Amino acid sequence: MDSTGTRKRSAEKIEVAEPQNKLPCSAPSLSTEPALYSGSFPFYRRPSELGCFSLDDKRQYYGDARALRYYSPPPTNGPSPNFDLRDGYTDRYQPRDEEIQERLDHLLRWLLEHRGQLEGGPGWLAGAIVTWRGHLTKLLTTPYERQEGWQLAASRFQGTLYLSEVETAAARAQRLARPPLLRELMYMGYKFEQYMCADKPGGSPDPSGEVNTNVAFCSVLRSRLGNHPLLFSGEVDCTDPQASSTQPPTCYVELKTSKEMHSPGQWRSFYRHKLLKWWAQSFLLGVPNVVAGFRNPEGFVCSFKTFPTMEMFEHVRNDRDGWNPSVCMNFCAAFLTFAQSTVIQDDPRLVHLFSWEPGHPVTVSVHQDGPYTFLPTWYVEAMAQDLSSPPKTPSPKD
Ligand code: 0WD
Ligand code: CA
């Protein structure tokens, strides 16, 4: 940034797709072809936790760790687990209302309350990208995704670039028509967390309680990808009180469920598809281990396995149809460069909508003051106050 608040163009080459048809002018777009991004692994700063917040059973925000849970697996020398993941689905399940679009709101509240204490020096935030970890996960997996597209809304405000996902029409239609079996499968993932987590360190899980997916513990982190400073937040399942490091995010554990596998072909497919998503999500936040519970066709977890995040790639390293972490990270860096160079105007009501469908490049459309605007007035006005009110002069008593 220079003193006028204008973003300096970096020397980095923007990897914008060459128009194949050689038309003289076409709107800029970004290719997602894996072959274009297979260079060496880019710089990714070890994510450090800046803070956290919690959402309660009514989705109310608290600026503390009250919703953090503690990893409490059954003893390894005891009997093998037998967790009924369908238990409570019909009578003890309080699912979050997915019609409510929260966009970046909770993260913005955290940022507003901590903007004065951010490390990185004055102006760090003005050069940063603010988003959810889940949005970055989608970017990382894009070069390999063949089914689901995405839309990301982008606005620049006081220099900072904010990225907020927009539910695509197809995703909305799918959500509204979600088959009952898929709904139950989603519940089973949360039920597994309840079997594996305690409310207090050293405590025991209580599977008799209800599952309420409004409750969330979110970590807020600082990192950098290439020359892009990042501030993002992600939901964390639990912390391991026995972990060798008690320092977040390296004490965090991600919990997953997956179908029991019986053939080498099933494992291969698991490594190619599921492990890519698990890796991208946990690598971004710096979560060292993913604990997977394998469920049988009756919905019982009878075994689990820990997958260290840094070892996941080994399962596909020699697989021609596998994934490559460098491709994921280089594509994400290229997208962030593309977004930074596309969104020039500093205006919280102006949205550049980046859209992607499998088999196509990322395209952009521009929207002013419309339904895509996502930075809330309470945030914009409070942040603008900072700039308009002169800094307090210390009184002799201070
Ligand atoms: O990702 C999104 N489209 C949005 C998420 C848009 C706006 C808000 N959020 C919220 C979520 O409700 C949640 O509180 O952000 C938080 C999660 O952010 P994230 O960590 O960036 O998201 P992601 O990495 O996609 O998901 C992490 C976990 C999930 O774990 P699994 O193991 O299934 O990947 O967050 C939970 C879920 O447990 N989660 C949700 N919980 C309730 N409703 C949702 C949701 N829509 N999405 C993710
Ligand atoms: Ca999880």
Side-chain angles (χ1 to χ4, degrees):
M1 277 305 151
D2 63 23
S3 56
T4 62
T6 322
R7 169 156 281 275
K8 279 204 189 98
R9 276 295 167 73
S10 71
E12 187 187 328
K13 188 172 174 288
I14 302 164
E15 294 176 57
V16 174
E18 287 296 328
Q20 302 287 306
N21 50 13
K22 300 274 192 287
L23 282 175
C25 66
S26 66
S29 67
L30 180 73
S31 172
T32 64
E33 271 300 315
L36 294 175
Y37 302 103
S38 60
S40 56
F41 196 85
F43 175 81
Y44 187 63
R45 181 194 196 265
R46 185 168 45 85
S48 53
E49 186 172 79
L50 298 175
C52 65
F53 58 87
S54 294
L55 304 172
D56 74 1
D57 54 356
K58 296 180 185 68
R59 206 72 179 167
Q60 293 301 309
Y61 175 101
Y62 295 88
D64 57 38
R66 67 183 68 195
L68 177 60
R69 291 179 297 175
Y70 298 84
Y71 183 59
S72 176
T76 42
N77 53 0
S80 51
N82 195 32
F83 299 155
D84 181 1
L85 299 185
R86 295 157 76 180
D87 176 50
Y89 177 58
T90 53
D91 58 320
R92 302 192 318 278
Y93 182 27
Q94 206 65 250
R96 186 178 84 89
D97 181 355
E98 293 177 89
E99 274 299 293
I100 301 174
Q101 303 285 325
E102 297 174 328
R103 301 185 270 211
L104 299 185
D105 292 9
H106 299 305
L107 171 56
L108 297 179
R109 173 153 179 199
W110 182 93
L111 192 47
L112 195 57
E113 289 172 4
H114 295 85
R115 66 192 185 284
Q117 303 121 252
L118 288 182
E119 49 176 70
W124 181 84
L125 182 60
I129 293 167
V130 171
T131 192
W132 284 109
R133 178 270 309 270
H135 302 359
L136 296 173
T137 305
K138 286 200 177 173
L139 290 171
L140 258 65
T141 58
T142 294
Y144 299 106
E145 177 63 44
R146 284 153 186 264
Q147 273 161 19
E148 278 162 26
W150 47 252
Q151 290 192 309
L152 276 176
S155 289
R156 190 181 298 287
F157 175 50
Q158 296 180 351
T160 309
L161 188 69
Y162 296 84
L163 299 176
S164 177
E165 188 178 23
V166 174
E167 189 178 45
T168 62
R172 177 175 166 78
Q174 268 197 23
R175 169 168 65 78
L176 295 174
R178 196 178 284 148
L181 275 175
L182 199 58
R183 289 171 201 263
E184 192 170 19
L185 217 53
M186 287 176 64
Y187 169 78
M188 291 162 73
Y190 295 111
K191 187 68 189 174
F192 179 60
E193 296 175 7
Q194 197 188 49
Y195 278 111
M196 299 288 280
C197 298
D199 286 342
K200 296 192 167 60
S204 299
D206 175 16
S208 72
E210 78 168 11
V211 169
N212 187 320
T213 57
N214 287 298
V215 182
F217 167 79
C218 293
S219 170
V220 182
L221 303 105
R222 171 190 171 185
S223 182
R224 178 161 55 88
L225 173 56
N227 57 359
H228 301 291
L230 302 173
L231 188 153
F232 60 92
S233 175
E235 194 174 324
V236 169
D237 289 333
C238 56
T239 184
D240 183 357
Q242 320 238 334
S244 49
S245 152
T246 55
Q247 202 188 312
T250 52
C251 52
Y252 292 151
V253 180
E254 172 65 34
L255 301 171
K256 296 286 185 196
T257 57
S258 200
K259 243 197 204 136
E260 243 172 26
M261 282 166 292
H262 301 284
S263 70
Q266 288 175 328
W267 279 102
R268 182 72 19 241
S269 167
F270 166 82
Y271 295 147
R272 284 175 182 167
H273 306 291
K274 256 200 170 160
L275 224 43
L276 163 61
K277 301 215 164 150
W278 293 5
W279 170 81
Q281 186 187 42
S282 287
F283 178 77
L284 279 165
L285 216 144
V287 175
N289 290 299
V290 177
V291 175
F294 294 104
R295 54 179 154 72
N296 65 21
E298 291 73 45
F300 284 71
V301 163
C302 303
S303 65
F304 37 81
K305 186 176 162 68
T306 299
F307 292 90
T309 306
M310 298 312 278
E311 294 170 19
M312 292 179 179
F313 172 54
E314 299 311 322
H315 296 290
V316 291
R317 189 188 281 278
N318 301 314
D319 183 347
R320 280 187 308 125
D321 296 316
W323 44 276
N324 178 346
S326 300
V327 169
C328 300
M329 298 300 279
N330 285 324
F331 170 73
C332 185
F335 173 81
L336 298 179
T337 302
F338 180 52
Q340 285 285 23
S341 63
T342 303
V343 186
I344 298 301
Q345 242 195 90
D346 200 298
D347 176 352
R349 310 198 57 82
L350 180 69
V351 168
H352 281 75
L353 185 65
F354 293 87
S355 302
W356 179 71
E357 285 301 327
H360 296 268
V362 179
T363 58
V364 199
S365 58
V366 190
H367 309 262
Q368 177 86 44
D369 288 319
Y372 291 114
T373 297
F374 64 89
L375 289 173
T377 315
W378 54 261
Y379 181 75
V380 170
E381 286 180 350
M383 294 290 279
Q385 279 279 318
D386 290 0
L387 296 189
S388 62
S389 57
K392 275 198 229 133
T393 39
S395 74
K397 267 180 264 156
D398 280 342

